[in-house]
Amino acid sequence: MLASRAVLAIILGSYVGLAVTYNLLQPIGEAPDEPAHVSYILYVREHATLPTGAAVPGESPDPLSPAVAFDQLPLYYVVLALALGPIWLPPGAEVHRNPFIGWPDHPARSANILHRLDEDWPYRGLALLIHLGRLISTVCGLIVLIATYLLVRQVTARPGDALFATAWLAWTPGFLLASARVNNDAAAMASNALTLLLCTRLLVRPGRVSALMLACLGVALTAALLSKLHALLLVPFVGGAVARAAAGRPWQRAGLAALALAPLVLLGFWWLAYGQTFGSRVGAAAGIGVLAFWHLLSPAALARLPGALWFMNASWWAAIGAPNVAPWPPALYAVLALSTVVLLGAGLWAARHDAKQGRPAAALLSLALLPFLYATIARQAFPGTDLDAHGRFLLPTAPILALLVAVGRRSFPAGWCRPVLAVAYPGALLALSIATAFALRSGISRPVIPSRLAGDAAEVAASPIARFASGVDLLTVLHLPVALRPGSRLPLVLRWRTRRTPLHNFTVFTHLLDGSRRRVASSRDEIPFARDFPPVLWQRGEIVDEDQPIEIPRELRPGIYSLRVGLYTHDGGQLTPIPVISGARERTDALVASWPVLPDASDSAEAHPAGARFGEALILDAYRTVWNSTELRVILYWHASARLTQDLVISVQVLDDHGRLTAQHDSEPVNGNLPTTAWPIGLTVRDEHVIAMPDAGTAGRRTIVVVYDRTTGTRLPVSAPGRPPSDTLPLE
């Protein structure tokens, strides 16, 4: 007993290890239908209700639509939405569907989704939700394995058979793949396994039916019916098992009626409130539409039968990625199919023999397998359904398959054959499962796009620099320098946030303008990521970083330079600016940053010190005066001790010996190119004024400096060492 438990623990532990490995190696969204199932979970999370047909326009929705799986039964999605609710996601978070899937020769043709930059370890946001959702599927698979062990042990009363069956299923790559993805197959196979286990107990011990057992069976069957609609195929078997066990017991017949009523009432409620709104899609998508048995007589259907059988076998053993790629040579799949058919055939023969001996459990369970086998094959064999015969649709009956394989192994002749088969066959499956992990790593297409989702609520709520009418926000610009350096390269990165998918591609321009709005430098005007990820593919909530480097000229005249970003469309030679949304005033570009470029003040050491303060924060550190025959040059060296809030005008005046004004030069600093409101704090600003002096001569003349507000004309008070307060400063 202890040895059996130890072996069982090893099998279950290896299963968990392999399933987690598959989980980590398989890119999110690259399992069959996983994006659609994730979208269902996200819908329930966001709206706190189940979807209706109003969310799925038309009878055949676009396969790229997030709503393509909304007609599925809700239990799995509600459980995951509640369990994964604490994970923070930005509003409207979705995987990015791949519009190029199936395009001939396109490099991304084999991928379900386009993969963002925030999907790698450490996981967060949507990637974390999907990987944790896969772990819940792994737990469902663990329930299936435990139920399989108990079921086989009840039927055969042999621990060796139960361990063999559990190992066979645990190391089957198709089962592991189903246990490592977000898909309602996980809930369906777990709830069906529990239902089969309880029915098996009724078949093996018909005289030991209790109210608790019926209640548990009712819960399991209800969970199965609310997980996937094709669990209806199991209802006749459950009814037969309970009726056989309850024969001649009136209270148990009443329990049977209650057992049948409860799940059907819940299923009926779902149908009336939600299911009927999807119309005929419910039956076809769930595989129930293939129950028109007369289609099997169609010659066209028979012609499709070999392909359906082959795909069912290949996908059961290993079919990876969105297009269900078979990673192994056809010969290997043929060997696997042959060995399985032999074991299943031997198991059916042994079940028939046991039934003749008064042990009908295995034979009756085999009958429960047949409707699922038929429905799976018919999905692809019937021309009217146009679905695939994926082996995962047999997973609800996986414990029955494992039982027949285990019983079939015991049917082989005694001697060396049985123990070798007991070790070699599961060992080969384990090796195949390990090899499949390597195939997951290298065999799945993972096209990466230069986008991500917001990392936290602050990034979602962050105010952008500009909101453009095309549906994108310029959130910020990275790597802005503190100061412009002539001849340098600005490695700018524009960070865009998508409010809604743009209807048309746009071109981005990034210009460096001088104070007269003349362009002095720019990046290349181009559509962002035009080849692989143009704006028409950007999805709501995505953040895209775009490189826009600018080469600064080696010579820049002193002044204020501004960085501006804008968008425009180009249609038939016509350039149409995309306006910035900014209230009543319409703008066609956004101011990102501005920098002052200061004149060279290296000659200030030769200047005459002044130390005069104008107003609160404008300091004249030094000055120089240079007279020649025709003009007077006055060079002033200023700095701001705090941010200047007024646009100030510097007036250099020449007075005669009677104090009368003879000449002057008024301008904002640096000939109007460097307004005081743009001055950096603490840096020296060299300001030169040239005054024409036709009758030049210094005798009896003196020079003063006045500073006044450009708007009001009010002079700033002057304080200087050794001088009384005034509104002028004489220069020596």
Side-chain angles (χ1 to χ4, degrees):
M1 188 68 172
L2 291 177
S4 296
R5 290 181 178 178
V7 174
L8 178 63
I10 292 173
I11 294 172
L12 297 181
S14 64
Y15 155 78
V16 171
L18 285 168
V20 171
T21 301
Y22 282 24
N23 180 348
L24 299 178
L25 293 180
Q26 191 168 214
I28 66 170
E30 295 304 338
D33 302 329
E34 187 171 61
H37 297 289
V38 170
S39 294
Y40 198 150
I41 297 167
L42 296 177
Y43 183 95
V44 175
R45 269 178 51 115
E46 183 172 350
H47 298 90
T49 188
L50 300 179
T52 64
V56 192
E59 288 292 308
S60 300
D62 183 352
L64 297 179
S65 168
V68 72
F70 282 5
D71 57 349
Q72 296 289 321
L73 275 295
L75 180 62
Y76 174 76
Y77 309 102
V78 172
V79 170
L80 263 70
L82 293 173
L84 304 176
I87 299 174
W88 183 87
L89 293 178
E94 272 285 357
V95 296
H96 196 120
R97 299 303 184 100
N98 178 17
F100 308 114
I101 188 169
W103 282 27
D105 301 324
H106 195 282
R109 64 186 178 277
S110 300
N112 255 338
I113 67 172
L114 301 179
H115 294 268
R116 301 188 180 104
L117 300 173
D118 55 355
E119 295 179 8
D120 296 325
W121 180 264
Y123 302 128
R124 59 189 177 93
L126 190 56
L128 177 62
L129 180 141
I130 293 175
H131 282 290
L132 290 181
R134 290 174 171 180
L135 284 180
I136 294 176
S137 296
T138 301
V139 173
C140 291
L142 196 61
I143 293 172
V144 174
L145 293 177
I146 295 172
T148 299
Y149 175 82
L150 295 175
L151 183 150
V152 176
R153 185 156 185 172
Q154 283 185 7
V155 173
T156 66
R158 297 171 182 265
D161 287 351
L163 291 173
F164 183 87
T166 307
W168 178 83
L169 185 57
W171 298 335
T172 295
F175 176 75
L176 284 163
L177 287 167
S179 302
R181 61 186 175 223
V182 177
N183 197 304
N184 61 348
D185 291 328
M189 66 185 187
S191 54
N192 276 265
L194 293 175
T195 303
L196 290 171
L197 173 63
L198 293 169
C199 287
T200 301
R201 186 174 179 85
L202 295 179
L203 294 174
V204 173
R205 300 177 180 179
R208 299 184 181 181
V209 181
S210 65
L212 177 61
M213 183 180 297
L214 287 177
C216 291
L217 183 55
V219 170
L221 181 59
T222 301
L225 289 172
L226 292 180
S227 296
K228 206 154 189 174
L229 195 57
H230 70 192
L232 284 169
L233 300 174
L234 199 61
V235 171
F237 172 75
V238 175
V242 176
R244 183 175 184 274
R249 300 175 178 85
W251 74 268
Q252 291 177 354
R253 288 198 294 271
L256 172 62
L259 174 66
L261 185 61
L264 292 179
V265 166
L266 289 174
L267 189 61
F269 171 78
W270 173 82
W271 172 257
L272 292 175
Y274 304 100
Q276 66 172 343
T277 65
F278 294 96
S280 61
R281 288 195 64 247
V282 173
I288 301 302
V290 301
L291 293 183
F293 293 98
W294 54 88
H295 285 310
L296 194 59
L297 302 177
S298 166
L302 291 176
R304 298 170 63 152
L305 184 60
L309 291 172
W310 178 259
F311 182 71
M312 182 179 68
N313 173 68
S315 57
W316 172 265
W317 291 111
I320 62 175
N324 292 303
V325 174
W328 311 121
L332 178 58
Y333 289 101
V335 170
L336 291 168
L338 179 62
S339 60
T340 304
V341 168
V342 169
L343 287 171
L344 288 175
L348 288 171
W349 184 266
R352 177 176 175 273
H353 179 268
D354 288 347
K356 290 181 178 180
Q357 300 297 321
R359 300 186 299 274
L364 293 174
L365 285 166
S366 301
L367 293 177
L369 170 64
L370 295 179
F372 287 88
L373 182 62
Y374 164 78
T376 300
I377 296 172
R379 284 171 58 90
Q380 187 169 335
F382 286 1
T385 55
D386 199 27
L387 300 171
D388 61 63
H390 201 290
R392 62 192 171 94
F393 296 109
L394 291 175
L395 288 173
T397 59
I400 301 175
L401 292 169
L403 168 67
L404 294 176
V405 167
V407 173
R409 175 195 66 89
R410 185 163 41 86
S411 301
F412 278 73
W416 63 268
C417 186
R418 283 191 197 174
V420 169
L421 185 61
V423 175
Y425 186 47
L429 293 183
L430 179 59
L432 181 63
S433 297
I434 295 172
T436 302
F438 289 95
L440 285 173
R441 183 177 180 86
S442 59
I444 295 182
S445 175
R446 188 180 183 271
V448 178
I449 54 177
S451 74
R452 61 177 178 84
L453 295 176
D456 52 38
E459 193 168 28
V460 171
S463 298
I465 294 173
R467 298 168 67 88
F468 288 90
S470 58
V472 297
D473 297 341
L474 179 59
L475 194 57
T476 188
V477 177
L478 306 180
H479 311 310
L480 288 173
V482 176
L484 286 182
R485 290 188 299 107
S488 65
R489 184 177 189 270
L490 302 185
L492 302 179
V493 176
L494 309 186
R495 177 160 292 172
W496 301 100
R497 182 176 62 194
T498 312
R499 301 192 313 276
R500 55 178 172 80
T501 300
L503 298 177
H504 306 283
N505 286 327
F506 52 75
T507 298
V508 179
F509 66 83
T510 306
H511 293 169
L512 184 66
L513 307 180
D514 64 14
S516 301
R517 291 187 65 88
R518 289 190 297 264
R519 185 170 62 184
V520 297
S522 66
S523 63
R524 181 179 178 183
D525 289 15
E526 59 185 1
I527 297 173
F529 306 104
R531 179 180 177 183
D532 301 317
F533 192 53
V536 291
L537 296 183
W538 297 5
Q539 195 166 281
R540 176 195 169 196
E542 284 186 325
I543 294 175
V544 180
D545 287 351
E546 177 197 6
D547 292 332
Q548 282 277 312
I550 292 182
E551 301 290 341
I552 305 300
R554 293 187 176 277
E555 294 186 3
L556 285 180
R557 296 176 58 186
I560 301 298
Y561 292 84
S562 60
L563 183 70
R564 293 185 172 269
V565 174
L567 311 178
Y568 62 86
T569 58
H570 190 284
D571 186 12
Q574 178 92 15
L575 299 184
T576 304
I578 297 176
V580 176
I581 303 173
S582 59
R585 182 186 176 189
E586 184 174 297
R587 295 183 290 121
T588 57
D589 61 16
L591 174 63
V592 173
S594 61
W595 301 272
V597 173
L598 306 181
D600 183 11
S602 59
D603 59 352
S604 62
E606 304 171 3
H608 185 80
R613 179 182 295 271
F614 289 75
E616 296 294 329
L618 181 61
I619 312 297
L620 179 62
D621 295 312
Y623 62 88
R624 293 169 56 207
T625 58
V626 180
W627 292 83
N628 61 31
S629 59
T630 60
E631 64 184 17
L632 168 65
R633 293 174 58 231
V634 178
I635 301 100
L636 307 175
Y637 300 91
W638 304 91
H639 83 269
S641 61
R643 183 67 61 190
L644 299 175
T645 59
Q646 301 167 282
D647 287 318
L648 301 176
V649 177
I650 312 297
S651 176
V652 178
Q653 303 175 5
V654 179
L655 308 180
D656 62 15
D657 52 0
H658 298 291
R660 292 189 299 263
L661 179 66
T662 61
Q664 75 179 84
H665 182 269
D666 290 19
S667 74
E668 292 187 71
V670 195
N671 291 320
N673 293 320
L674 203 61
T676 52
T677 51
W679 284 15
I681 298 173
L683 296 183
T684 300
V685 177
R686 184 183 187 276
D687 179 31
E688 183 171 345
H689 296 258
V690 178
I691 304 174
M693 302 291 292
D695 52 346
T698 61
R701 301 193 182 196
R702 54 195 180 94
T703 306
I704 64 172
V705 175
V706 175
V707 179
Y708 60 89
D709 188 302
R710 186 186 67 181
T711 303
T712 65
T714 304
R715 292 186 175 188
L716 270 59
V718 181
S719 60
R723 293 183 179 275
S726 176
D727 58 7
T728 65
L729 177 69
L731 302 183
E732 298 179 1

